[in-house]
Amino acid sequence: MFFLFYSVGVHHDLNLSIRRQLQMFIRDKGDIWINKRKVDVRSVQANIERLKAENPQGTVVIQADKKATTDTLIKVMDSARAAGVYDVSIAAQEA
């Protein structure tokens, strides 16, 4: 199994504090999962804001199924930016 990571809008600093990742999964039918919970696309921003409050230096990693739509991926990425998280990575499985 091979994963490709692509970072969007990465902000690097010299702060060496631990940065926990928030992993999100988008399934083939568009289901979004955060912390082993299925969430509606409309609540993604609120979930990220809550987790960002707990870990301000945290990053977001989105793993999308190859059958997931680009529309859902873009909505999740926009929600992360709206929540103030600009360090967003996309993990993709090679076909």
Side-chain angles (χ1 to χ4, degrees):
M1 186 178 288
F2 173 77
F3 287 98
L4 170 70
F5 286 94
Y6 177 74
S7 293
V8 179
V10 176
H11 174 53
H12 296 282
D13 58 24
L14 297 177
N15 185 354
L16 298 178
S17 63
I18 297 174
R19 296 175 62 163
R20 199 174 89 207
Q21 292 181 343
L22 165 61
Q23 292 193 330
M24 304 175 65
F25 300 90
I26 303 174
R27 301 291 183 218
D28 59 345
K29 304 231 187 282
D31 298 338
I32 301 167
W33 292 79
I34 301 174
N35 289 340
K36 300 179 183 178
R37 281 186 320 115
K38 184 178 175 182
V39 298
D40 185 87
V41 70
R42 295 169 295 193
S43 65
V44 170
Q45 181 179 339
N47 277 274
I48 295 173
E49 287 171 346
R50 180 180 52 79
L51 294 166
K52 183 178 187 276
E54 295 171 7
N55 183 15
Q57 297 300 317
T59 63
V60 170
V61 176
I62 304 168
Q63 183 175 344
D65 185 280
K66 66 181 180 180
K67 293 181 182 176
T69 66
T70 304
D71 182 57
T72 302
L73 177 62
I74 297 298
K75 286 178 181 177
V76 170
M77 291 175 66
D78 287 346
S79 294
R81 287 192 199 103
V85 177
Y86 298 97
D87 192 351
V88 178
S89 299
I90 302 168
Q93 185 175 355
E94 187 177 77

